[in-house]
Amino acid sequence: DECISDMFTRFTTIFNSLKNLVKSYSNQELVRKILRCLPRSWTPKVTAFEEAKDLSTLPLEQLLGSLMTHETTMKNHVNVEVKKKKLIAFKALKEDSESDEDGDVTLITSKF
C-alpha cells in the first residue's frame, strides 16, 4: 500500500547499495524488476507496458512518470466512486392529517 514514489525511493536505495557491492543491473533489468514488484491490481498496466513499449530502451524515469500518472488516475477514480456513493439521499414525505392524530394519541398516552 505504498505510493509509487516511496517504492521507487526504496528501490533506488537497494539498487545503489548493490552497486556499491559491485553488482550492477542494466536499465532493462531494472525496468523489469520494477514491473514485477507491482501488486496484482497493476497487472493491466504492466501488460500494456510489456506489449506497447520496448523495455530494453524504456528509460527508468519515463517508467516512473507513467506509473505515478496511473496511480493518480486510480486514486481519482476511487474518490469519484466514494463521492457518488455519498450523494444518495432519501426524501421523506409526511402527511399532516396522520401526524396530528399520532401526536394527540402520543400526548394522551404520555399523560396517562
Side-chain angles (χ1 to χ4, degrees), residues 1-68:
D1 289 334
E2 68 182 344
C3 66
I4 293 296
S5 59
D6 291 344
M7 182 270 307
F8 189 74
T9 302
R10 194 166 45 90
F11 179 80
T12 304
T13 303
I14 293 169
F15 170 68
N16 289 336
S17 298
L18 287 172
K19 200 175 191 180
N20 291 336
L21 294 172
V22 192
K23 175 64 176 168
S24 61
Y25 292 98
S26 68
N27 187 61
Q28 180 182 5
E29 290 174 315
L30 295 175
V31 168
R32 288 191 183 278
K33 286 184 182 296
I34 288 176
L35 291 176
R36 271 197 315 255
C37 77
L38 293 171
R40 287 189 187 268
S41 61
W42 288 72
T43 302
K45 186 67 173 177
V46 171
T47 304
F49 264 113
E50 291 173 345
E51 291 180 359
K53 305 273 185 180
D54 183 13
L55 298 183
S56 61
T57 60
L58 179 68
L60 204 54
E61 294 78 20
Q62 185 179 353
L63 174 67
L64 175 64
S66 295
L67 293 176
M68 290 175 74

Side-chain angles (χ1 to χ4, degrees), residues 64-75:
L64 175 64
S66 295
L67 293 176
M68 290 175 74
T69 302
H70 183 67
E71 179 183 45
T72 304
T73 304
M74 286 180 11
K75 285 182 181 178

Side-chain angles (χ1 to χ4, degrees), residues 70-86:
H70 183 67
E71 179 183 45
T72 304
T73 304
M74 286 180 11
K75 285 182 181 178
N76 287 340
H77 285 304
V78 169
N79 289 341
V80 167
E81 289 176 8
V82 168
K83 286 181 182 179
K84 284 183 180 178
K85 288 181 183 178
K86 288 183 179 179

